[in-house]
Amino acid sequence: MLQYALLHLAGYDSVQEDDLKNFRQWQSRTPGHPENFETPGVEVTTGPLGQGIANAVGLALAEKHLAARFNKPDNEIVDHYTYTILGDGCQMEGVANEACSLAGHWGLGKLIAFYDDNHISIDGDTEIAFTENVEERFKGLGWHVIWVKNGNTGYDEIRAAIKEAKAVKDKPTLIKVTTTIGYGSPNKANSYSVHGSALGAKEVDATRKNLAWPHEPFHVPEDVKRHWSHHVQQGAALEVEWNAKFAEYEKKYKDEAAELKLIITGEPPAGWEKALPTYTPESPADATRNLSQQNLNALVKVLPGFLGGSADLASSNMTLLKMYGNFQKDTPEERNLRFGVREHGMGAICNGIAHHSPGLIPYCATFFVFTDYMRAAIRMSALSQAGVIYVMTHDSIGLGEDGPTHQPIEHLASLRAMPNVFMLRPADGNETAGAYKVAILNRNTPSIIALSRQKLPQLPGTSIEGVEKGGYIISDNSSGNNPDIILIGTGSELEIAAKAADELRKGGKAVRVVSLVSWELFDNQSDAYKESVLPSGVSARVSIEAGSTFGWEKIVGSKGKAIGIDRFGASAPAGRLYKEFGLTPEAVVAAAKFLC
Amino acid sequence: MLQYALLHLAGYDSVQEDDLKNFRQWQSRTPGHPENFETPGVEVTTGPLGQGIANAVGLALAEKHLAARFNKPDNEIVDHYTYTILGDGCQMEGVANEACSLAGHWGLGKLIAFYDDNHISIDGDTEIAFTENVEERFKGLGWHVIWVKNGNTGYDEIRAAIKEAKAVKDKPTLIKVTTTIGYGSPNKANSYSVHGSALGAKEVDATRKNLAWPHEPFHVPEDVKRHWSHHVQQGAALEVEWNAKFAEYEKKYKDEAAELKLIITGEPPAGWEKALPTYTPESPADATRNLSQQNLNALVKVLPGFLGGSADLASSNMTLLKMYGNFQKDTPEERNLRFGVREHGMGAICNGIAHHSPGLIPYCATFFVFTDYMRAAIRMSALSQAGVIYVMTHDSIGLGEDGPTHQPIEHLASLRAMPNVFMLRPADGNETAGAYKVAILNRNTPSIIALSRQKLPQLPGTSIEGVEKGGYIISDNSSGNNPDIILIGTGSELEIAAKAADELRKGGKAVRVVSLVSWELFDNQSDAYKESVLPSGVSARVSIEAGSTFGWEKIVGSKGKAIGIDRFGASAPAGRLYKEFGLTPEAVVAAAKFLC
């Protein structure tokens, strides 16, 4: 509610008095937790604890990076602070510690975090579960720490702290502000009962009396209005000033200005998609993680806002941008981000980067199974419409020896079930390029690209255009949209489906092979197109995918057969695992013969 | 590999020389990452970073709790240290910080963690992403910290550090041991190339020469064997000693001994299930989160190893055990655990508690949507066969005003897809009791119980026995296993299905209503039983569930209709949301009429 009240006072049209009265109602601009896609003025969606501080690290990283690339000695066109507030609950979340450790490492001097130290969380006094020394921890994380002891009315202290924080340029600053939750309420202040519940009419009255506040509910007194209206004028003046500064910049630094404009507007440079590599069946077999790296390195040449990295697996995820060095404290103009083993922080930081400027396109990488570590951040990408690209390698039991802790099983299904996510599982080079095309074009939807550790052949029939439709035919020897059987595969198992088709065709069968690289994209196609790929009259269908069969009934129907893995994996060479788990052309052929 | 070598040297039958040679091979006892269910001597499954240290916190908590409950001035029957090793990667993970903050808060003085400070992670020198001051952070977390500067050969220093750690009884200890990764290898030591790859024959030779190690591969020289064999004897002697101590204890403290035995063996006390509450349709409507609390408070009276708590939402999740106080530093005999806002740490700590003793039954709670924060820990419960109970309230858009960040949509589907998990969504009191019965009985499978914030009526036809089968008929006016239509619901939507059935029956239809409270349990039933509930001849089926329809095609078939929510939720009162999202008896009736 506080955030909405501030937006209202600060003159945002998006939050009128009626919006405040509509708090938490259907289709209001003031939902229970602020959402960036509902309310102009809200920069990131918050709610789940710890996400906000990690987003702020991403926002501050974006500023530091863009400033380093675009600022000139005579024109600092990128120059802003990132302010954030976090509470005791946020401080307890691991994701906050991950992101703050990176903020310290990167020396994000323009990040200023207010820690609302009110000693109350939902369960009551933080004494029951949170007695660590936060200041000492943050000093250990490389932050500058200031303590404002009277956060309720110590305005001068707060101003002085901000001034001090700005003066410290090589470290982020945590301003610990000790406050009383529910300040002003004579009977409920300093108790958990004001955390998530309304005060109630009686206590509201008592609070009004206590604070000597005689005004009607929702009424903003004239002097308050007048005071806040300065901000509107000040903001407008700053915008005019910045526009003039940019006009200057544009005159003097034409190329840089054009590039910065692309980043600010999010418009993709003309013809960028020509950079995507293509392949023929004669191109060498390769792991899709390697093909992914070809795409990353091709895209960074044409997309000015493209940057990213891995959670300590750059050489396994194949995510290094060869033209660039590492984004570090003293080299912030570089584009390789080194997140360390901090998957959750990585995802939430990338959300912040994506929300900083529409043309910033962050990617982040780890093993596919570790989407589990960062799932809350992935969901925030999806909900808050951040087009983060998740480069997820080692995407099945195909990773082999590392065993079941490292082998995704349920992950494809679990992410297909999440709204506003493109879950892509390319089979070879053309499909990997197609996956990146989809990911780059959809700036309001995160894409998760599942990539193989093992080598895969370049298959005849695959294409970028096919991937854009989510599902498409890669080979067919039937006529009249009426094959004897349809074999459906994704990613590394598309090759197995293709091999099984060859075998069945030798036996005289009319066989169609379909690549179902993204279920969501396929769902978005017209009924006519879907019917042309998976005709409803053909119930003989076999799917193969090295993952849970959960959800595949939708594709193969109740008469079809889904081949997959509905148990945890095992540690052994990949080839052995495929055989033991029955993921073979022979198994597909046998299932197909049973059906047609 | 090191862990297997140590087990081998320590005389564990489970790891013979042949097992070592079979490292990372199909069905070997030496998989790529140690698994507790594959290799006796491995206490917890490790691999994903940060889980081990959090498990260790759980193991140490279990010891402190049991010691406080069972030790007597003349007989300290529970008395052991918990040792764990963590590396730079673990230190970066948020889950480790969460768990270590709790370890400090709880004063787990018998937890001793060795931090292998080798400055190398997979991406190379930790300088690129990890420059925080770990010692300072741990001091802030309330730990005692010791630094052993020569971890490669400083055996006396290490011994002294352990002695010092044991002397500090009110704080856990971190022993930072600075080491050289690949110590002894003349060309690869201190580089990331030894992190996950073998040295190679040439470098192995060079290392042997450098360390003056003349023996054949896998050969253990006699003097080494002799030295280690002391441990076997020593261990056997300690066991004899402890058994004698327990015999003494049993004589003197009969009741306590009987209780401790149940915890050590995991045998449930006779007749425990009689404690489960039951309900009739006349019992008052209630939120299943409240009914859950009735179960928790009933179970804790009959299950000596039952304990748990919430991630700062005890009063929302309704998880407080009223007979008990809080497990705290100075009251470790109590059973309410206060995890603070640390979902991931909570799950991993519960895995440690469950693996400490088969009769310890930990439960943990948060909002269902925040399973995303702790998904990696849930997967470890499932993989490592820890029967943790996940009490997940606020299980759908039914939570209302908090909005989409707090409303689960894809979570049911995503957890149904995970192997070895019981995902239970009870509809009322009897089903909630049934869910707890399943959860308690299955000690090698975690149960996730999704519970409502909103009131639900006690439905006719629900039962504990029904829940044990996963899916069952709650009402039917058809005969001959041939209804006109089958309506299928789960949790809070079972009521809607029942109302729709009433309406359809008024119109003369033969309608069956099925509760599908757990898909996994239903899958486990015989084909005959499944056919008796969902006869294959009846294709007219409508399901209703306030969540993603992903996966429901398996149940309703390609001719049926799944009613659900395939987008993010919204902030509004629950009743309004149900209407806007079309989750109403009218929608079910309309879909049914279309089909039959």
Side-chain angles (χ1 to χ4, degrees):
Chain A
M1 192 65 182
L2 177 68
Q3 188 166 2
Y4 299 130
L6 288 173
L7 287 172
H8 178 58
L9 289 169
Y12 273 77
D13 291 341
S14 48
V15 185
Q16 310 281 351
E17 192 178 310
D18 276 352
D19 296 311
L20 293 177
K21 290 178 179 165
N22 259 325
F23 185 48
R24 315 208 303 176
Q25 297 307 306
W26 178 251
Q27 291 187 332
S28 80
R29 284 187 186 157
T30 49
H33 291 91
E35 313 284 1
N36 64 325
F37 53 91
E38 299 277 15
T39 321
V42 175
E43 288 159 317
V44 296
T45 283
T46 53
L49 297 185
Q51 299 294 327
I53 173 72
N55 292 165
V57 172
L59 291 165
L61 178 157
E63 195 271 347
K64 183 165 175 147
H65 174 69
L66 294 176
R69 275 173 62 186
F70 292 102
N71 285 357
K72 302 290 176 182
D74 64 339
N75 193 326
E76 302 213 330
I77 192 66
V78 180
D79 179 18
H80 69 77
Y81 289 88
T82 301
Y83 296 95
T84 185
I85 302 182
L86 71 164
D88 290 303
C90 305
Q91 287 287 18
M92 297 187 230
E93 290 284 9
V95 61
N97 193 71
E98 291 179 9
C100 291
S101 176
L102 281 170
H105 172 75
W106 287 327
L108 301 179
K110 288 163 92 177
L111 172 61
I112 300 176
F114 296 90
Y115 162 34
D116 180 13
D117 170 46
N118 65 29
H119 285 97
I120 298 290
S121 64
I122 293 177
D123 271 357
D125 196 295
T126 51
E127 275 297 313
I128 68 169
F130 186 53
T131 51
E132 64 174 60
N133 184 331
V134 174
E135 289 160 272
E136 196 168 2
R137 176 162 62 88
F138 268 77
K139 282 177 190 162
L141 297 178
W143 286 54
H144 181 67
V145 180
I146 305 170
W147 184 14
V148 171
K149 289 179 189 169
N150 172 12
N152 296 326
T153 56
Y155 307 116
D156 287 339
E157 284 178 66
I158 294 173
R159 282 190 196 99
I162 294 173
K163 202 173 161 192
E164 180 182 332
K166 286 183 172 177
V168 176
K169 295 191 186 303
D170 61 341
K171 288 178 175 185
T173 295
L174 182 81
I175 305 178
K176 172 175 149 172
V177 190
T178 299
T179 61
T180 307
I181 196 169
Y183 176 76
S185 157
N187 304 305
K188 293 194 173 179
N190 202 27
S191 82
Y192 70 92
S193 67
V194 294
H195 187 288
S197 313
L199 283 179
K202 207 177 136 192
E203 187 65 11
V204 166
D205 275 350
T207 306
R208 286 167 168 284
K209 277 198 196 96
N210 185 37
L211 294 173
W213 186 262
H215 311 284
E216 287 297 292
F218 293 102
H219 176 73
V220 181
E222 272 315 306
D223 57 334
V224 174
K225 258 192 202 153
R226 211 164 32 244
H227 178 76
W228 276 89
S229 67
H230 293 166
H231 292 281
V232 180
Q233 287 162 24
Q234 206 179 15
L238 283 170
E239 191 177 342
V240 167
E241 194 186 308
W242 190 87
N243 286 337
K245 201 169 161 184
F246 188 75
E248 277 295 306
Y249 188 89
E250 213 167 7
K251 252 185 261 167
K252 212 159 162 188
Y253 309 107
K254 212 181 138 209
D255 293 351
E256 290 92 329
E259 199 167 283
L260 182 55
K261 232 177 184 171
L262 291 174
I263 290 174
I264 292 173
T265 63
E267 210 176 302
W272 71 271
E273 67 277 12
K274 287 185 202 120
L276 292 168
T278 56
Y279 304 83
T280 68
E282 289 70 40
S283 305
D286 208 345
T288 51
R289 63 172 169 157
N290 293 332
L291 301 163
S292 163
Q293 189 167 39
Q294 295 174 8
N295 279 272
L296 293 171
N297 279 278
L299 289 168
V300 77
K301 289 183 190 151
V302 294
L303 298 173
F306 199 68
L307 78 172
S310 161
D312 195 47
L313 289 168
S315 51
S316 300
N317 301 141
M318 306 305 294
T319 47
L320 281 184
L321 302 171
K322 293 170 186 174
M323 288 169 64
Y324 291 96
N326 292 335
F327 173 94
Q328 293 287 8
K329 190 172 182 171
D330 298 321
T331 52
E333 70 283 5
E334 300 290 353
R335 301 212 210 166
N336 283 303
L337 305 178
R338 301 292 204 154
F339 291 102
V341 193
R342 303 179 182 96
E343 299 83 4
H344 196 175
M346 173 171 75
I349 287 170
C350 284
N351 286 334
I353 297 172
H355 285 311
H356 184 279
S357 300
L360 285 180
I361 308 181
Y363 68 88
C364 63
T366 182
F367 291 159
F368 187 37
V369 78
F370 296 135
T371 47
D372 285 348
Y373 271 72
M374 59 193 311
R375 198 171 163 97
I378 296 175
R379 192 173 205 258
M380 294 303 278
S381 305
L383 175 63
S384 72
Q385 305 174 5
V388 174
I389 304 175
Y390 291 89
V391 179
M392 298 288 130
T393 71
H394 296 58
D395 85 328
S396 77
I397 55 160
L399 66 86
E401 289 85 346
D402 266 338
T405 51
H406 285 54
Q407 292 166 349
I409 295 290
E410 69 280 16
H411 299 75
L412 288 166
S414 80
L415 291 160
R416 284 173 184 150
M418 192 183 280
N420 195 37
V421 162
F422 291 136
M423 177 68 247
L424 297 132
R425 189 163 186 255
D428 64 2
N430 289 330
E431 289 205 349
T432 302
Y436 276 101
K437 185 171 179 194
V438 166
I440 298 296
L441 281 176
N442 289 280
R443 298 287 74 239
N444 294 325
T445 300
S447 293
I448 305 172
I449 309 179
L451 299 156
S452 76
R453 172 177 185 257
Q454 71 273 31
K455 269 192 187 181
L456 301 173
Q458 308 297 338
L459 295 171
T462 59
S463 69
I464 291 176
E465 303 73 48
V467 174
E468 291 185 271
K469 291 183 172 144
Y472 65 107
I473 300 167
I474 66 157
S475 76
D476 196 348
N477 66 327
S478 75
S479 58
N481 202 22
N482 191 25
D484 297 326
I485 189 145
I486 304 176
L487 308 181
I488 307 151
T490 77
S492 43
E493 287 66 67
L494 189 60
E495 175 197 2
I496 298 177
K499 279 187 182 159
D502 288 346
E503 190 60 31
L504 289 163
R505 285 168 190 151
K506 278 184 209 156
K509 296 289 183 191
V511 186
R512 173 176 296 180
V513 179
V514 168
S515 169
L516 203 63
V517 52
S518 162
W519 292 27
E520 305 81 17
L521 287 167
F522 188 64
D523 269 344
N524 291 348
Q525 304 307 310
S526 68
D527 286 346
Y529 177 76
K530 284 187 267 189
E531 179 68 18
S532 77
V533 176
L534 296 176
S536 43
V538 182
S539 65
R541 302 176 182 189
V542 178
S543 70
I544 181 159
E545 183 173 78
S548 167
T549 62
F550 192 87
W552 272 100
E553 291 82 4
K554 177 179 172 178
I555 309 298
V556 299
S558 43
K559 287 181 185 151
K561 167 84 180 165
I563 298 175
I565 312 171
D566 292 311
R567 49 157 283 186
F568 286 111
S571 173
R576 181 70 186 266
L577 291 175
Y578 268 77
K579 209 166 283 176
E580 296 288 348
F581 287 127
L583 297 166
T584 59
E586 294 72 35
V588 176
V589 167
K593 283 189 176 161
F594 185 79
L595 293 176
C596 73
Chain B
M1 192 63 182
L2 177 67
Q3 189 167 2
Y4 298 131
L6 288 174
L7 287 173
H8 178 59
L9 288 169
Y12 273 77
D13 290 342
S14 48
V15 186
Q16 308 281 350
E17 191 178 312
D18 276 352
D19 296 310
L20 293 177
K21 290 179 179 166
N22 258 325
F23 185 47
R24 314 207 305 173
Q25 298 306 306
W26 177 252
Q27 292 186 330
S28 80
R29 284 186 186 159
T30 49
H33 291 92
E35 314 284 1
N36 64 325
F37 53 91
E38 299 278 14
T39 321
V42 175
E43 288 159 316
V44 296
T45 282
T46 54
L49 298 184
Q51 299 294 326
I53 174 72
N55 293 164
V57 173
L59 291 165
L61 178 157
E63 195 271 349
K64 183 165 176 147
H65 174 68
L66 293 177
R69 277 174 61 186
F70 293 101
N71 285 357
K72 303 289 175 185
D74 65 338
N75 194 326
E76 303 215 329
I77 192 66
V78 180
D79 179 18
H80 68 77
Y81 289 88
T82 301
Y83 295 96
T84 184
I85 302 181
L86 71 164
D88 289 303
C90 305
Q91 288 287 17
M92 297 187 229
E93 291 284 9
V95 61
N97 193 71
E98 291 179 8
C100 290
S101 176
L102 281 170
H105 172 75
W106 287 328
L108 300 179
K110 288 163 92 176
L111 173 60
I112 300 177
F114 296 90
Y115 163 32
D116 179 13
D117 170 47
N118 65 30
H119 285 96
I120 297 291
S121 64
I122 292 177
D123 271 357
D125 196 295
T126 51
E127 275 298 313
I128 69 169
F130 186 53
T131 50
E132 64 174 60
N133 184 330
V134 173
E135 288 161 272
E136 198 169 359
R137 176 162 62 88
F138 268 77
K139 282 177 189 161
L141 296 179
W143 285 54
H144 181 66
V145 181
I146 306 170
W147 184 14
V148 171
K149 289 177 190 172
N150 172 13
N152 296 325
T153 57
Y155 307 116
D156 287 339
E157 284 178 67
I158 294 172
R159 281 190 197 100
I162 295 173
K163 203 173 162 192
E164 179 181 333
K166 286 183 171 177
V168 176
K169 295 191 186 304
D170 61 341
K171 288 178 176 184
T173 295
L174 183 80
I175 305 177
K176 172 174 147 172
V177 189
T178 299
T179 60
T180 306
I181 195 169
Y183 176 76
S185 156
N187 303 304
K188 294 194 172 178
N190 202 28
S191 82
Y192 70 92
S193 67
V194 294
H195 186 289
S197 314
L199 282 178
K202 207 176 134 191
E203 187 65 11
V204 165
D205 274 350
T207 306
R208 286 168 168 284
K209 279 200 193 95
N210 186 37
L211 294 173
W213 185 264
H215 310 285
E216 286 297 293
F218 294 101
H219 176 74
V220 182
E222 272 314 306
D223 57 335
V224 174
K225 258 190 201 155
R226 212 166 30 245
H227 177 75
W228 276 89
S229 66
H230 293 165
H231 292 282
V232 181
Q233 287 163 24
Q234 205 178 16
L238 283 169
E239 192 178 339
V240 167
E241 194 185 308
W242 190 89
N243 286 337
K245 201 169 162 184
F246 188 76
E248 279 295 306
Y249 188 90
E250 213 168 5
K251 251 185 260 165
K252 210 158 165 190
Y253 309 107
K254 210 180 142 212
D255 293 350
E256 291 93 328
E259 199 166 282
L260 183 56
K261 232 177 184 171
L262 291 174
I263 290 174
I264 291 172
T265 62
E267 211 176 303
W272 70 271
E273 67 276 10
K274 286 184 201 122
L276 292 168
T278 55
Y279 304 83
T280 69
E282 289 70 42
S283 306
D286 208 344
T288 50
R289 62 173 168 156
N290 293 333
L291 300 163
S292 163
Q293 190 168 37
Q294 296 174 8
N295 279 273
L296 294 172
N297 279 278
L299 288 168
V300 76
K301 289 182 191 152
V302 293
L303 298 173
F306 199 66
L307 78 171
S310 160
D312 194 47
L313 290 168
S315 51
S316 300
N317 301 141
M318 306 305 293
T319 47
L320 281 184
L321 302 171
K322 294 170 186 174
M323 288 169 64
Y324 291 95
N326 293 334
F327 173 93
Q328 293 287 7
K329 191 171 181 171
D330 298 322
T331 51
E333 70 282 6
E334 300 289 352
R335 300 210 210 169
N336 283 302
L337 306 178
R338 301 291 204 154
F339 291 103
V341 194
R342 303 180 182 94
E343 299 84 2
H344 196 174
M346 172 171 73
I349 287 169
C350 284
N351 286 335
I353 296 171
H355 285 312
H356 185 279
S357 299
L360 285 180
I361 307 182
Y363 67 88
C364 63
T366 182
F367 291 159
F368 188 35
V369 78
F370 297 134
T371 47
D372 285 349
Y373 271 72
M374 59 194 310
R375 199 171 162 96
I378 295 174
R379 193 174 205 258
M380 294 303 277
S381 305
L383 175 63
S384 72
Q385 304 174 5
V388 175
I389 303 176
Y390 290 90
V391 179
M392 298 288 129
T393 71
H394 295 59
D395 85 329
S396 76
I397 55 161
L399 65 87
E401 289 85 347
D402 266 338
T405 50
H406 285 53
Q407 292 166 350
I409 295 291
E410 70 279 17
H411 300 75
L412 289 165
S414 80
L415 291 160
R416 284 172 183 151
M418 192 182 280
N420 195 38
V421 163
F422 291 136
M423 177 68 247
L424 297 133
R425 189 163 186 256
D428 64 2
N430 288 330
E431 288 205 350
T432 302
Y436 277 100
K437 184 169 180 195
V438 166
I440 298 296
L441 280 176
N442 288 279
R443 299 286 75 238
N444 295 325
T445 301
S447 293
I448 305 172
I449 309 179
L451 299 156
S452 77
R453 171 177 185 259
Q454 71 273 30
K455 270 192 186 180
L456 301 173
Q458 309 297 338
L459 296 171
T462 59
S463 69
I464 291 176
E465 303 72 49
V467 174
E468 291 185 272
K469 291 182 172 144
Y472 66 107
I473 301 167
I474 66 157
S475 76
D476 196 347
N477 65 329
S478 74
S479 59
N481 203 23
N482 191 26
D484 298 325
I485 189 145
I486 305 176
L487 307 182
I488 307 149
T490 77
S492 43
E493 288 66 67
L494 189 59
E495 175 196 4
I496 298 177
K499 279 186 182 161
D502 289 345
E503 190 60 31
L504 289 163
R505 285 169 191 151
K506 279 184 208 157
K509 297 289 183 190
V511 186
R512 173 177 297 180
V513 180
V514 169
S515 170
L516 203 62
V517 53
S518 163
W519 293 26
E520 304 80 18
L521 288 169
F522 187 64
D523 270 344
N524 290 348
Q525 305 307 310
S526 68
D527 286 344
Y529 177 75
K530 284 187 267 189
E531 180 68 19
S532 77
V533 177
L534 296 176
S536 43
V538 182
S539 66
R541 302 177 182 189
V542 178
S543 70
I544 182 160
E545 183 173 78
S548 169
T549 62
F550 192 88
W552 272 100
E553 291 81 5
K554 177 179 174 179
I555 309 297
V556 297
S558 43
K559 288 181 185 150
K561 167 84 180 165
I563 298 175
I565 312 172
D566 291 311
R567 51 156 283 188
F568 286 111
S571 174
R576 181 71 186 265
L577 291 175
Y578 268 77
K579 210 166 281 175
E580 296 289 347
F581 287 127
L583 297 167
T584 59
E586 295 73 32
V588 176
V589 167
K593 282 188 176 162
F594 185 79
L595 293 177
C596 73

